[in-house]
Amino acid sequence: MTNKLYKLMNWPKIEEIIYSECNNPHELLGPHRSGSQTLIQAFFPEASKVEIQWDGNGKGSEAFAKNTKMEQADEDGYFAVLVPEKELPNYTYQVSYEDGRRVSFGDPYRYAPQISEKDIVKFNNGIHYTIYEKLGAHPMTIDGVEGTYFALWAPNAMRISVVGDFNQWDGRVHQMRMLEECGIFELFIPGAKCGDNYKYELKLKTGLTYLKADPYGNAAQLRPNSASVIADLNGFKWEDDKFIKNREAYQTGNAPMSVYEMYPGSFADPREGEEYANWREIAPKVITYVKEMGYTHVELMPVMEHPLDASWGYQVIGYYAPTARYGSPADFMYFMNELHKAGIGVILDWVPAHFPRDVYGLSNFDGTCLYEHQDPRQGSHPHWGTLIYNYGRPQVSNYLIANALFWVEKFHADAIRMDAVSSMLYLDYGKNDGEWVANMYGGNENLEAIEMIKHLNSIMKKRNPGVLSIAEESTAYPMITGRLDEGGLGFDLKWNMGFMNDYLDYIHYDPYFRSHHHGELTFSMIYAYSEKFMLVFSHDEVVHGKATLIGKMPGTREQKFANLRLTYAYMMTHPGKKLLFMGQDLGEFDEWNENRRVQWYLRDVPEHEGIVTLMKDLNALYKTHPAMYQLDDRPEGFEWINNISGNDCYLTYLRKSDDVEDTLLIVANFSGVEKEITTGVPFEGKYKEILNTDSTRYGGSGVVNARVKKAQEREWDDRQTSITVKLAPLSVSILQFIPYTEEELTKVIEERVRRNTPVKKAAKTTKTEKSAKTEKTTKTEKTTRTTAKKTGGRKKTAKEAD
């Protein structure tokens, strides 16, 4: 080494690099001006020889006409050379090793950071909503050189390196530069490409060195392997513009919404030799089935990368990576695209409440509790054995908020269903006294989590109007779906866990004992309009020894199927959006688990196919009758006729829309005996049965009401007119109101006048008797016309009808 070059060496800093303890290697490595020359330094552990190969050899300066040999400054592999030029073309290192290997490397230390000061300020304040485009691994081209830009937030690490397929997993090779203003380490690595596996190697001040997967990585290896995988999310060609454009009208407000919840790994059989079907194989099968059944949406249990199959995705490691179980990120984009083209919305389950302790994940990330709380009373979840996010740290809340936006904006999700919201809202959730720390006011509300939720729902609505935010929340916490400007949390929908728990508790009783539990059947309507609800029979109710829905039903096999048909009809006619877990629309008796497929063969069994047919018809009825959804979140859309006949175990009620002609009458028999149920009706007219769960079409015994029912002038349920409906045990009849035509109304009036006219007698009628008869006839006609809500004129609104 020449004396001049020797004097240019910063030996203390070189030692930092050699011992892999440097957080700013760019200060030495790469090209640096030295007067009219350029000093280039490089570190290639165990290399015996390094030459610089200039792009376009033989052109321009004589210094670039041939390879430039570097001098070995340190035997551990530190090389340097002084090039007699200020401006350099692109170049690569040609590195030779003692074992005869010769490897070409680009110089990662000649590039400026791709993270701007503006990015840093936004991230530090927790408002960088596209931080996923900066942090993580991003293939790109800089100054004509292809490679991948890596960035990681880990402010307390002494040194971080990128290790992977492109550098023999050697943490000494690609040490990263720390941006001290934000604690982000970054590095552009030429030649690192899509499909390469990688991790980050972190070294602490204590000397402890370990590997972590990329929190912002866009792909990962299939478990049990745990490396992140470089992926490019920008190349997919979306064709769902039409669906996205119409999405707000399709699913917001009181639009009908019937959701098929599914675990992707259980829906379709994989190809021979494969563990799971690919998204591209799953998509057409899901589309065919969902369209056949009439569901409006599918809800996917978490598709984010997770290590444990038995967690079903609810213990996430790779929040920004679709799980490798079903293919690549592009494969998942294909799935989303195809469902949208078929007119099907997609809801993604999302888990911001907690994360697992796996050592390659977020736990104790940079040697400190970076993502979680240090105090286990705040940072540990005793029931699940997982860790709780520190929502008050801006970079952590930014990680989660940007993640929800990521799935909507990068993968076109139509709704985010937030898991375990209750555990986020309460500091003492699942904890005993002494196991939690009160908030600044002495209460048990997690103020930081509440603020994060409000922040997310606010920015989601601003950036992605029409995308739904759905809460799985099981307590009476107020205003979950309340407006943000009125103090609410800003969710669009809340899972109605109360309805589910009360109903399943009621229906599991033998009909003989149900009269003592009638309040559980009707209680949901007391609070039905306190939030905007989604009724759910989800995966949680058919696992871990709870039995499937049909397995919960009492009685003989025939009675179990009748109870199930009754259950689905009651849910579909009850106010609220609808959700049903896969396999339950087949009437599966076996509990679901992640290791089995849906039992499609049950469709060959008439009773089970009857359940399928019923769900098809209920979905069709739900979507085509405005009374089932138009006033879904307003009391005007529902009316009890009889909800007090607990001893007889039946209910009668109305579903209504703005048009009285859309009115539906529902009569439900929860008893174990056949009944003729007389029920008051709201209007003069006819009532035609449009669905009966005991129809032979659905596997029932065929006790139906084939003939149209005419309202009779008989008071019942505090109403002037009524009809009588015949019902099999454990069945529901849905009847549609049909107004009389003018001609029919005239005949009804005439018939009632005749009925009210005394039979003629031989003796003459006195003047007084004649006057009374005329008055009674006139009153009958007036009453009949008044109570007939349709007389051939304009349609009346529900408000006018009331």
Side-chain angles (χ1 to χ4, degrees), residues 31 38 45 53 206 224 340 382 394 437 468 530 571 655 660 677 685 708 774:
T38 302
Q53 180 176 319
T206 61
H340 282 172
V437 178
L468 300 178
S530 62
M571 177 184 76
R655 293 306 310 273
V660 296
I677 296 174
V708 171
T774 302

Side-chain angles (χ1 to χ4, degrees), residues 113-150:
Q114 301 301 301
I115 295 174
S116 67
E117 290 186 11
K118 185 177 180 181
D119 291 324
I120 292 172
V121 171
K122 289 165 66 178
F123 180 60
N124 284 343
N125 287 281
I127 56 172
H128 199 315
Y129 304 121
T130 57
I131 189 63
Y132 53 79
E133 294 180 346
K134 297 296 181 178
L135 299 183
H138 301 282
M140 62 178 63
T141 299
I142 302 178
D143 296 337
V145 177
E146 295 182 356
T148 299
Y149 183 74
F150 297 89

Side-chain angles (χ1 to χ4, degrees), residues 6 81 93 140 287 411 615 647 690 778:
Y6 182 86
V81 67
Y93 296 111
M140 62 178 63
I287 290 168
F411 288 92
M615 281 308 303
N647 289 336
I690 56 175
T778 304

Side-chain angles (χ1 to χ4, degrees), residues 702-744:
V703 178
V704 297
N705 299 273
R707 300 185 65 180
V708 171
K709 304 286 183 180
K710 292 183 179 180
Q712 302 297 314
E713 193 179 22
R714 176 175 50 172
E715 276 197 49
W716 209 272
D717 297 324
D718 292 329
R719 297 169 191 270
Q720 292 181 348
T721 54
S722 60
I723 62 173
T724 299
V725 180
K726 188 175 184 180
L727 283 176
L730 310 171
S731 66
V732 171
S733 174
I734 303 175
L735 301 102
Q736 182 175 9
F737 167 62
I738 303 174
Y740 286 134
T741 64
E742 184 66 32
E743 183 180 354
E744 288 171 331

Side-chain angles (χ1 to χ4, degrees), residues 493-496 527-535 576-577:
L493 294 167
K494 172 183 174 177
W495 274 24
N496 195 334
Y527 60 85
Y529 304 106
S530 62
E531 301 279 4
K532 296 174 183 177
F533 283 117
M534 175 180 283
L535 309 182
K577 313 292 188 183

Side-chain angles (χ1 to χ4, degrees), residues 344-392:
I344 300 168
V346 184
I347 303 167
L348 297 185
D349 271 12
W350 184 57
V351 192
H354 61 118
F355 60 94
R357 296 174 182 266
D358 299 64
V359 293
Y360 67 92
L362 297 179
S363 64
N364 199 39
F365 193 84
D366 62 356
T368 69
C369 295
L370 188 64
Y371 285 88
E372 69 272 35
H373 286 276
Q374 184 174 2
D375 188 335
R377 295 175 300 169
Q378 297 173 295
S380 180
H381 203 298
H383 281 187
W384 300 327
T386 52
L387 299 172
I388 300 171
Y389 284 102
N390 183 349
Y391 303 105

